[in-house]
Amino acid sequence: MHRTYKFLLRPTARQVASLAAMLEDHRQLYNAALEERRTAWRTRRIATSYYTQQPQLTEIRRADPDGQGRWSCSSQQSTLRRLEKAFRAFYRRVKAGQKPGYPRFKGVSRFDTVEFPKDGDGCRWDSTRHDPVARVYFKGVGHIRVHQHRPVKGRVKTISVTREGSRWYVFLACDEVPAAPLPATGAIVGVDMGVAHFLTTSDGEHIANPRFLEAAAEELAEAQRHLATFPKRTKRRTKAHRAAARKVAKIHARIQRQRLDYAHKTALALVRDYDVIAHERLNTAGMTKTPAPKPDPETPGAFLPNGAAAKSGLNRSILDAGWGVFLAILANKAESAGRTVIAVDPRNTSRTCPECGHVAKENRVTQSKFECTACRFTANADHVGALNVLNRAGLVLCDAT
């Protein structure tokens, strides 16, 4: 199996300065390579690629030994491949007739990761094996202390260092990670994702929705109001401006960590209790799409109400719940534990009666109440959805056998 481990770094003040300098030099390299591609196409209609830019690294490093020459050449090649990937995605969208989105220059706040494609080439994981404290080595930075909260299994393939606000993290992409199957329980469950409850199982258990964004809404709004008092476009931010931006980023980062922690704990509980877990195949991006405007045919230039205000509140609740993140974590944990996860068609799961199979919009009386218009079966609407998900998972298992 392939797994990625994320650990918090504990760099010294000097190492923080070196990490920031490494990020800045890689950002400048990315922007310079992008500018060369733009200029070559505009002036000579020549499409430059990674294979024509990568050989220039030798001369760049020789001309700037105290700048670009300080860092690993393999990490700089990875930065150029990152630009190549962006252009390939651009060309693919152009051919598909989609909105292309030309690759953009990276500002200081939009370039936070440096990747090392091979452990031992400019970086080394667990670089001080004789020391009980884990460390990771980066060329030009040194040996950085790592808060390793779990053992690393498998073979480390690539290493990335990332800045998130004022924190620094290391990501280890590993392959050949052994599975750790759990004892069989013989139980199967259907799961219905929701907003009122984070999820409801076919056993009738409701898992509460913590609503982390809503809990921090007042604090976040105050920080954003303070940030809005500073000019949006300025060449140089003041100390107070930078502090206000850091506070907003810090609140968002805390919400993200809380959401991830809750998703991990909830997914682990399901994996431990059930052999087969079924859930709806949700298209979160489509569900949170902004409604299209409705032009008023009688008044040119005017628009009719399209429910955008109400939809924005629902979108915020869906994104705060983090369904996509949770389902991805659930799939990874199930694979490691030897469990089976089944994604079923979500259509009409909340409108189908689990007793008689009658499907009608009127069956869903309210957000929380289900009452079949045919057989008068009554139950919690989320519980009904979970039961239907379980029934559809049973059909999938029957077809598979």
Side-chain angles (χ1 to χ4, degrees):
M1 296 187 303
H2 298 274
R3 286 290 177 268
T4 300
Y5 297 89
K6 178 182 179 181
F7 298 121
L8 177 66
L9 294 179
R10 304 286 191 185
T12 63
R14 182 174 297 179
Q15 289 173 337
V16 168
S18 298
L19 287 170
M22 180 174 66
L23 269 185
E24 177 60 19
D25 284 344
H26 279 74
R27 183 183 73 87
Q28 292 184 5
L29 176 65
Y30 183 97
N31 288 341
L34 174 56
E35 177 60 27
E36 183 185 34
R37 287 181 179 235
R38 286 161 54 97
T39 303
W41 178 255
R42 287 178 175 177
T43 58
R44 295 171 291 167
R45 292 300 187 202
I46 297 176
T48 309
S49 69
Y50 164 80
Y51 301 100
T52 59
Q53 291 185 317
Q54 185 270 336
Q56 302 177 36
L57 279 177
T58 302
E59 184 59 31
I60 293 173
R61 292 168 58 83
R62 186 184 296 115
D64 188 17
D66 296 328
Q68 296 290 346
R70 293 178 292 174
W71 318 117
S72 165
C73 184
S74 62
S75 67
Q76 293 170 328
Q77 292 172 347
S78 181
T79 297
L80 294 181
R81 280 194 292 268
R82 177 177 171 179
L83 178 61
E84 176 73 12
K85 183 179 179 180
F87 268 95
R88 287 185 178 180
F90 167 73
Y91 295 139
R92 174 181 53 79
R93 290 191 293 268
V94 170
K95 291 181 180 179
Q98 302 173 351
K99 186 177 180 180
Y102 191 83
R104 61 186 296 178
F105 290 100
K106 299 294 185 180
V108 175
S109 61
R110 291 184 175 272
F111 195 96
D112 294 318
T113 300
V114 173
E115 180 182 334
F116 296 81
K118 183 180 179 182
D119 182 21
D121 187 1
C123 65
R124 188 165 66 253
W125 166 246
D126 199 9
S127 56
T128 55
R129 297 181 181 274
H130 59 279
D131 197 321
V133 178
R135 287 182 171 84
V136 60
Y137 170 80
F138 296 110
K139 181 180 179 181
V141 180
H143 302 271
I144 305 177
R145 183 185 173 194
V146 180
H147 180 71
Q148 186 182 356
H149 59 275
R150 61 183 299 190
V152 175
K153 299 180 181 180
R155 183 167 61 96
V156 178
K157 293 280 288 182
T158 64
I159 300 177
S160 301
V161 59
T162 299
R163 177 179 58 195
E164 295 183 7
S166 60
R167 300 188 179 195
W168 293 85
Y169 294 90
V170 62
F171 289 82
L172 309 176
C174 304
D175 64 358
E176 302 176 6
V177 179
L182 295 175
T185 63
I188 180 173
V189 69
V191 171
D192 179 79
M193 308 300 298
V195 174
H197 303 286
F198 180 70
L199 65 83
T200 301
T201 68
S202 54
D203 296 334
E205 180 184 5
H206 298 288
I207 305 298
N209 185 358
R211 303 179 187 272
F212 295 114
L213 181 60
E214 184 177 323
E218 185 175 345
E219 180 186 7
L220 180 60
E222 181 180 354
Q224 289 175 329
R225 282 194 295 268
H226 179 54
L227 178 61
T229 61
F230 298 94
K232 290 184 178 181
R233 296 186 179 274
T234 178
K235 292 185 178 180
R236 189 171 184 178
R237 290 182 173 184
T238 63
K239 184 177 181 180
H241 191 176
R242 292 195 299 270
R246 283 197 301 269
K247 185 172 183 179
V248 173
K250 183 178 180 180
I251 296 173
H252 279 295
R254 186 182 71 231
I255 295 171
Q256 181 188 28
R257 291 194 300 270
Q258 290 174 331
R259 190 178 291 129
L260 282 173
D261 180 70
Y262 191 79
H264 275 285
K265 291 178 178 177
T266 305
L268 181 59
L270 288 175
V271 167
R272 284 175 173 171
D273 293 340
Y274 301 98
D275 290 345
V276 180
I277 305 166
H279 65 82
E280 297 171 299
R281 187 184 296 106
L282 299 176
N283 178 14
T284 309
M287 296 173 66
T288 56
K289 188 176 180 180
T290 303
K294 295 182 178 180
D296 188 349
E298 299 181 357
T299 308
F303 295 88
L304 297 173
N306 63 346
K311 187 66 166 62
S312 65
L314 177 60
N315 292 350
R316 191 181 304 111
S317 298
I318 292 174
L319 295 175
D320 186 21
W323 296 343
V325 172
F326 167 75
L327 294 178
I329 291 174
L330 177 63
N332 289 334
K333 290 187 180 297
E335 182 184 12
S336 298
R339 305 305 201 201
T340 301
V341 174
I342 301 175
V344 302
D345 187 354
R347 287 178 293 183
N348 294 323
T349 52
S350 61
R351 299 177 178 179
T352 303
C353 178
E355 291 292 322
C356 67
H358 177 65
V359 181
K361 180 180 179 180
E362 294 73 21
N363 288 349
R364 187 77 178 262
V365 180
T366 64
Q367 180 66 27
S368 60
K369 184 178 180 181
F370 179 93
E371 183 177 352
C372 180
T373 57
C375 68
R376 297 304 175 184
F377 172 77
T378 304
N380 179 272
D382 293 333
H383 185 203
V384 167
L387 290 173
N388 287 323
V389 168
L390 179 62
N391 293 336
R392 294 184 184 184
L395 295 176
V396 172
L397 291 174
C398 290
D399 292 340
T401 56

